[in-house]
């Protein structure tokens, strides 16, 4: 009986199965195309990123003969509180430049040189320069004074002449490239006054003299001391 057993055949079953898979074919084709398209997009993005990275690495360095303009700001900066600089590079490790800006002591002018430890003006550098704070006339401010007639001490508005002050700048900085043709730098150091503090200003108000507290204030306000500066350069 077992040997004579035959497989049953259900009419239409094969055609139903074939019809089912036929209906799935468009969906499978869409899925296959989607996978290929997604893979292509991922490959294109990776290739684009690789090309951009290679272009950045292959970009020409900031070399000798370049001229740069820059914006700088800071405390005892060579251009005051904020100003512009123009510099050129005689070789791949040195630059010389001029700067001008505005500060608390009037217009500030300066010239300087820098030496970089790496070529193309990257990384650490040493700075040497001279700057001149041109001063201000009839500068009015409130200070603690002593009345020379009455001997009393009070706060009063006084007139001062802020005299020109020369400064010798010694500093250390670090420069980092932003794009192939620009860089950001930070600098610190010391600005040495070429004159005594008492010679940096003249009291114009009659009948009073500055107290020790006010003289200390003027010493703090006068140019010189710690340098903290930040700036950005652009190649021309």
């Amino acid at each position: 009986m077992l040997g004579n057993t035959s497989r049953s055949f259900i009419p239409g079953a094969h055609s139903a199965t074939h019809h089912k898979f036929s209906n799935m074919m468009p969906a499978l084709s869409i899925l296959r195309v989607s996978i290929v398209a997604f893979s292509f997009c991922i490959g294109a993005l990776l290739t684009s990123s690789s090309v951009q990275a290679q272009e950045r690495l292959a970009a020409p360095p900031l070399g000798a003969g370049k001229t740069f303009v820059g914006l700088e700001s800071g405390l005892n900066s060579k251009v005051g509180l904020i100003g512009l600089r123009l510099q050129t590079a005689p070789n791949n490790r040195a630059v010389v430049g001029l700067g001008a800006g505005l500060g608390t002591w009037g217009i500030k002018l300066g010239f300087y040189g820098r030496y970089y430890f790496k070529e193309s003006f990257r990384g650490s550098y040493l700075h040497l320069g001279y700057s001149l704070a041109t001063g201000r006339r009839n500068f009015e401010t409130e200070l603690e004074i002593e009345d020379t007639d009455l001997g009393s001490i009070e706060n009063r508005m006084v007139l001062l002449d802020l005299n020109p002050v020369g400064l010798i700048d010694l500093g250390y900085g670090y420069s980092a490239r932003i794009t192939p043709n620009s860089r950001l730098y930070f600098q610190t150091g010391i600005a040495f006054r070429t004159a005594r503090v008492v010679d940096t200003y003249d009291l114009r108000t009659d009948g009073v003299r500055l107290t020790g507290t006010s003289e200390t204030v003027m010493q703090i306000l006068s140019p010189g001391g710690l340098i903290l500066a930040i700036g950005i350069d652009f190649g021309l």
Side-chain angles (χ1 to χ4, degrees), residues 111-124:
F111 63 89
Y112 60 93
R114 290 177 180 174
Y115 177 80
Y116 290 81
F117 295 105
K118 293 182 179 180
E119 291 187 350
S120 300
F121 321 114
R122 295 174 293 117
S124 301

Side-chain angles (χ1 to χ4, degrees), residues 141 143-160 202-211 214-215:
T141 187
L143 291 171
E144 184 181 79
I145 56 92
E146 179 183 354
D147 191 305
T148 54
D149 295 327
L150 302 176
S152 59
I153 295 177
E154 59 183 302
N155 289 337
R156 187 186 299 180
M157 298 298 294
V158 295
L159 281 178
L160 298 166
D202 294 320
L203 181 61
R204 294 283 306 277
T205 303
D206 296 329
V208 299
R209 60 170 170 256
L210 300 185
T211 64
S214 292
E215 289 178 349

Side-chain angles (χ1 to χ4, degrees), residues 8-195:
S8 61
F9 175 76
I10 301 175
H14 176 72
S15 59
T17 303
H18 177 74
H19 180 68
K20 179 179 179 181
F21 279 102
S22 297
N23 290 337
M24 292 178 63
M25 287 302 294
L28 291 174
S29 299
I30 293 173
L31 179 62
R32 190 179 301 114
V33 171
S34 299
I35 293 174
V36 172
F38 179 76
S39 301
F40 177 79
C41 292
I42 294 296
L45 288 174
L46 292 175
T47 302
S48 176
S49 298
S50 176
V51 169
Q52 291 178 2
Q54 291 176 5
E55 287 177 350
R56 285 195 296 268
L57 291 174
L62 298 168
K66 279 281 190 178
T67 300
F68 301 93
V69 293
L71 178 69
E72 182 173 303
S73 179
L75 175 67
N76 285 313
S77 160
K78 72 186 69 61
V79 294
L81 293 177
I82 189 167
L84 298 174
R85 298 179 302 101
L86 177 66
Q87 62 185 26
T88 187
N91 58 53
N92 282 334
R93 293 198 179 198
V95 296
V96 292
L98 302 170
L102 296 175
T104 57
W105 220 260
I107 295 174
K108 197 169 186 181
L109 308 171
F111 63 89
Y112 60 93
R114 290 177 180 174
Y115 177 80
Y116 290 81
F117 295 105
K118 293 182 179 180
E119 291 187 350
S120 300
F121 321 114
R122 295 174 293 117
S124 301
Y125 66 83
L126 297 178
H127 170 94
L128 173 64
Y130 176 83
S131 57
L132 177 68
T134 57
R136 299 173 63 180
R137 297 297 179 188
N138 298 320
F139 174 68
E140 187 175 24
T141 187
E142 184 177 9
L143 291 171
E144 184 181 79
I145 56 92
E146 179 183 354
D147 191 305
T148 54
D149 295 327
L150 302 176
S152 59
I153 295 177
E154 59 183 302
N155 289 337
R156 187 186 299 180
M157 298 298 294
V158 295
L159 281 178
L160 298 166
D161 281 344
L162 307 182
N163 299 324
V165 178
L167 300 155
I168 297 174
D169 309 327
L170 296 177
Y172 165 85
Y174 186 86
S175 175
R177 181 180 296 184
I178 304 175
T179 69
N181 219 33
S182 66
R183 62 192 178 210
L184 179 72
Y185 66 88
F186 303 90
Q187 184 176 311
T188 187
I190 299 292
F192 298 96
R193 282 184 290 264
T194 58

